[in-house]
């Protein structure tokens, strides 16, 4: 790998003496990089421990831009009024010999992406999206950015944590500032055109359905769309969107926290992010403009607890001009959200008839080759345990000992080059959120608590309690389930396949009687063709979904141990054929 030319990074007080201060710290041609070339800059103020307000920008004239921020912008923008008046505000100016307009805009976008993933950043300003297409020095961006970030880390490790730590955060992974693939970008533009057409023609109750397998980039697409709709709604030039009421819903506690944290950072009202029932029960939400639904396969299709309706899909569709729903039928995990094949086809037909059926086909989560991806598909969907394929980029291993697998996961998790790694299991051990005693997953000599039962270590900052399950330090000593990990990535996952998954007569089979997941095993009330209600079992359809979610969490590796002896033997034999 070619050596990256050294960037120039200098921190000065945020005041009118920028040129003078830079000339004191830098000499020769390096001064030109900061004062006469395009630069990226960061203005920040530390309000208290782990609490920063940050502005990220790029400019061709840092002296003129600083003057504008100090003298002009405070009259119309509260964020600049605060930063200009604070005696603690700092300015970091970043230059590089290869900076041009496109590269500085791309670096600015990457900086906002990283800042959105830093927990101590409470407010992130200048929220433009500056993703660039092809340009002369585009291939240098990532290497240059990494060198810049390391220098920033030396200035303030709290504001600029180690790069791997930022990339592991759930906020980073759901940030709207990710560079979109061509497939995602085309999907977003199609959705925006559909929304604009629906507004202009006053068309009612449009459904846009975005389908895709786990890891196909649906969440990043939705986050980007939510951010851009909000931006357009603030822009007086976009009258079609101005003051539009846009909401983002997700029926998952962990994911709601992530989206709310992102919204708060970007100045979007947190009330515009909620669980579906909260949105539906609010009398102000009888007629809104756009509702985005992440993990729409988690929507309830029957009444439950605080939700007194009959179907959250119907209730949301009746309230919005346009509903954009991200959906993967193979991730339906609960009888409350069960949808029959006929009902799925009805949703797809409705969206298709309105020109709003979109499919994302590319796998973006797992760094696995196609053979490894196919092996997982055949294992879960077809019940076939084929030879484990060789894969230089993806570490797929079957372990003979669950303790050894846990040790391997701990080693990965404690190595910052490998990052976020956790133990997971099918829901085959008793668990109660109201039980005062700890519930355990016990396999051989391995005994670990289930799901969110360990307390955070003493001395942990208060804000860490708002992190997703896998990001909290103590959860390395627990085993997670689909209820804590769905929608999130791990670098390495160690999956205990419990007794509900067996191997009989040459095929993988599912045994509902061995599952402890009542959301799967209890029967579901449905209407038959004559309109009569009847109870049916949906466990045979949902248990494979549970396994699919668990086996597709690992970005760089998947470790497996099966409790069923026949399945374990089949997996080990398949590994031996690699």
């Amino acid at each position: 790998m070619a050596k990256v030319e050294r960037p120039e990074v200098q921190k000065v007080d945020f005041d009118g003496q920028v040129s003078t201060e830079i000339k004191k710290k830098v000499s020769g041609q390096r001064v030109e990089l900061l004062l006469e070339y395009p630069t990226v800059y960061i203005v920040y103020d530390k309000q208290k421990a782990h609490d920063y307000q940050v502005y990220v920008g790029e400019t061709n004239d840092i002296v003129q831009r600083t003057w504008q921020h100090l003298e002009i912008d405070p009259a119309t923008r509260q964020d600049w009024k605060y930063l200009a008046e604070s005696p603690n505000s700092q300015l970091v100016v970043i230059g590089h010999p290869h900076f041009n307009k496109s590269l500085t805009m791309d670096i600015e976008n990457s900086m906002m992406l990283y800042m959105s993933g830093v927990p101590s950043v409470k407010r992130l300003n200048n929220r433009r999206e500056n993703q660039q297409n092809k340009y002369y020095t585009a291939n240098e961006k990532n290497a240059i950015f990494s060198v810049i970030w390391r220098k920033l880390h030396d200035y303030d490790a709290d504001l600029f944590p180690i790069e791997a730590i930022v990339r592991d955060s759930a906020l980073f992974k759901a940030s709207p500032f990710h560079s979109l693939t061509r497939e995602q970008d085309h999907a977003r533009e199609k959705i925006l055109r559909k929304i604009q057409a629906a507004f202009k023609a006053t068309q009612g109750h449009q459904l846009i359905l975005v389908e895709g397998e786990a890891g196909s980039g649906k969440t990043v697409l939705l986050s980007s769309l939510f951010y851009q709709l909000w931006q357009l709604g603030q822009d007086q030039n976009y009258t079609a969107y101005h003051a539009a009421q846009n909401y983002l819903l997700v029926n998952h506690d962990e994911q709601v926290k992530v989206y709310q944290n992102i919204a708060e950072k970007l100045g979007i009202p947190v009330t515009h992010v909620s669980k579906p029932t909260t949105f539906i029960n609010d009398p102000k939400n009888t007629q809104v403009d756009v509702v985005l639904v992440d993990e729409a396969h988690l929507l309830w299709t029957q009444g439950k607890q605080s939700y007194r309706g009959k179907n959250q899909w119907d209730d949301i569709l009746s309230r919005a001009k346009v509903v954009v729903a991200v959906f993967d039928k193979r991730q339906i995990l609960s009888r409350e959200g069960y949808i029959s094949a006929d009902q799925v086809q009805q949703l797809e037909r409705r969206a298709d008839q309105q020109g709003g059926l979109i499919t994302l086909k590319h796998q973006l989560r797992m760094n696995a080759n196609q053979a490894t991806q196919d092996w997982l598909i055949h294992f879960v969907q077809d019940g076939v345990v084929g030879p484990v394929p060789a894969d230089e980029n993806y570490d797929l291993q079957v372990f003979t000992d669950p303790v050894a697998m846990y040790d391997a996961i701990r080693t990965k998790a404690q190595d910052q080059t490998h990052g976020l790694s956790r133990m997971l299991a099918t829901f085959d051990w008793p668990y109660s959120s109201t039980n005062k005693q700890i519930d355990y997953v016990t396999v051989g000599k391995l005994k670990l608590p289930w799901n969110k039962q360990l307390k955070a270590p003493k001395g942990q900052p208060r804000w860490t309690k708002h992190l997703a399950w896998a990001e909290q330090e103590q959860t390395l000593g627990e085993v997670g389930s689909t209820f804590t990990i769905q929608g999130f990535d791990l670098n390495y996952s160690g999956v205990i396949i419990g007794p509900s998954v067996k191997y009989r007569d040459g095929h993988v089979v599912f045994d509902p009687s061995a599952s402890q997941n009542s959301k799967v095993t209890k029967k579901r009330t449905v209407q038959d063709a004559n309109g009569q209600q009847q109870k049916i079992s949906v466990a045979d359809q949902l248990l494979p979904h549970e396994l699919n979610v668990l086996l597709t969490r690992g970005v760089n590796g998947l470790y497996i141990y099966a409790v069923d002896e026949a399945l374990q033997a089949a997996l080990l034999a398949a590994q031996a054929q690699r």
Side-chain angles (χ1 to χ4, degrees), residues 221-283:
L221 170 61
L222 200 73
S223 179
S224 173
L225 188 61
F226 182 53
Y227 154 74
Q228 190 164 358
L229 283 171
W230 180 77
Q231 286 284 86
L232 292 173
Q234 308 307 302
D235 194 331
Q236 297 283 353
N237 295 321
Y238 288 84
T239 54
Y241 297 100
H242 185 58
Q245 291 180 294
N246 305 314
Y247 295 84
L248 194 157
L249 312 179
V250 59
N251 212 5
H252 191 292
D253 291 334
E254 299 284 312
Q255 198 75 354
V256 166
K257 287 191 294 186
V258 170
Y259 279 129
Q260 287 180 338
N261 286 339
I262 290 174
E264 188 173 20
K265 283 191 183 201
L266 301 181
I268 302 172
V270 176
T271 53
H272 285 229
V273 178
S274 71
K275 296 184 74 172
T277 296
T278 304
F279 169 82
I280 292 166
N281 289 346
D282 190 333

Side-chain angles (χ1 to χ4, degrees), residues 438-467:
I438 293 179
D439 295 306
Y440 290 95
V441 173
T442 304
V443 183
K445 294 182 178 180
L446 181 71
K447 184 179 181 181
L448 293 174
W450 257 124
N451 300 310
K452 297 184 180 181
Q453 295 189 91
L454 295 182
K455 293 182 179 179
K458 289 184 178 180
Q460 284 282 85
R462 185 175 298 179
W463 55 263
T464 59
K465 69 180 182 180
H466 299 296
L467 296 175

Side-chain angles (χ1 to χ4, degrees), residues 451-494:
N451 300 310
K452 297 184 180 181
Q453 295 189 91
L454 295 182
K455 293 182 179 179
K458 289 184 178 180
Q460 284 282 85
R462 185 175 298 179
W463 55 263
T464 59
K465 69 180 182 180
H466 299 296
L467 296 175
W469 173 82
E471 293 180 275
Q472 297 184 38
E473 179 183 338
Q474 73 279 6
T475 63
L476 183 54
E478 295 180 329
V479 178
S481 69
T482 53
F483 298 106
T484 48
I485 204 62
Q486 186 173 24
F488 295 94
D489 296 348
L490 295 168
N491 281 326
Y492 289 81
S493 59

Side-chain angles (χ1 to χ4, degrees), residues 1-60:
M1 181 172 148
K3 185 177 180 181
V4 178
E5 199 161 344
R6 179 169 64 92
E8 190 64 51
V9 181
Q10 289 297 327
K11 183 174 74 169
V12 298
D13 290 336
F14 180 53
D15 56 28
Q17 304 300 314
V18 172
S19 178
T20 301
E21 290 300 313
I22 284 177
K23 288 176 180 177
K24 285 181 181 179
K25 296 185 175 186
V26 189
S27 60
Q29 293 182 335
R30 308 299 288 184
V31 175
E32 293 182 348
L33 292 180
L34 299 181
L35 298 181
E36 298 181 34
Y37 279 62
T39 58
V40 176
Y41 64 96
I42 304 166
V43 181
Y44 68 90
D45 178 75
K46 186 175 183 178
Q47 298 173 298
K48 56 185 179 181
H50 310 298
D51 192 340
Y52 293 82
Q53 183 167 164
V54 178
Y55 181 95
V56 178
E58 57 82 29
T59 181
N60 291 329

Side-chain angles (χ1 to χ4, degrees), residues 138-334:
N139 63 325
E140 300 180 31
K141 183 196 77 170
N142 292 337
I144 290 173
F145 181 84
S146 289
V147 175
I148 290 170
W149 190 266
R150 288 196 293 272
K151 290 183 72 84
L152 292 171
H153 176 74
D154 292 337
Y155 281 128
D156 189 330
D158 189 24
L159 180 57
F160 306 103
I162 293 171
E163 192 173 357
I165 293 175
V166 179
R167 295 180 69 87
D168 273 343
S169 76
L171 291 175
F172 176 91
K173 291 171 181 175
S175 171
F177 298 113
H178 281 281
S179 296
L180 301 183
T181 65
R182 181 171 296 181
E183 181 182 57
Q184 289 171 316
D185 192 45
H186 286 173
R188 185 180 63 175
E189 292 308 308
K190 179 178 180 179
I191 292 168
L192 287 171
R193 289 196 301 270
K194 287 288 297 175
I195 291 172
Q196 190 171 33
F199 280 10
K200 287 182 177 180
T202 63
Q203 299 170 351
H205 310 306
Q206 301 288 300
L207 172 62
I208 300 172
L209 199 63
V210 182
E211 295 186 321
E213 299 279 351
S216 58
K218 302 184 296 297
T219 289
V220 167
L221 170 61
L222 200 73
S223 179
S224 173
L225 188 61
F226 182 53
Y227 154 74
Q228 190 164 358
L229 283 171
W230 180 77
Q231 286 284 86
L232 292 173
Q234 308 307 302
D235 194 331
Q236 297 283 353
N237 295 321
Y238 288 84
T239 54
Y241 297 100
H242 185 58
Q245 291 180 294
N246 305 314
Y247 295 84
L248 194 157
L249 312 179
V250 59
N251 212 5
H252 191 292
D253 291 334
E254 299 284 312
Q255 198 75 354
V256 166
K257 287 191 294 186
V258 170
Y259 279 129
Q260 287 180 338
N261 286 339
I262 290 174
E264 188 173 20
K265 283 191 183 201
L266 301 181
I268 302 172
V270 176
T271 53
H272 285 229
V273 178
S274 71
K275 296 184 74 172
T277 296
T278 304
F279 169 82
I280 292 166
N281 289 346
D282 190 333
K284 298 192 297 293
N285 296 334
T286 55
Q287 290 297 320
V288 303
D289 295 310
V290 181
V291 173
L292 310 177
V293 186
D294 196 8
E295 311 274 2
H297 37 267
L298 299 180
L299 289 176
W300 292 336
T301 53
Q302 65 180 30
K304 179 189 173 187
Q305 298 171 345
S306 60
Y307 174 60
R308 302 302 180 188
K310 295 182 178 179
N311 189 310
Q312 289 183 335
W313 280 94
D314 295 340
D315 286 342
I316 294 169
L317 285 165
S318 69
R319 285 164 168 75
K321 292 179 183 176
V322 182
V323 172
V324 183
V326 164
F327 181 70
D328 178 2
K329 58 190 174 186
R330 292 193 178 91
Q331 292 196 61
I332 298 173
L333 298 177
S334 168

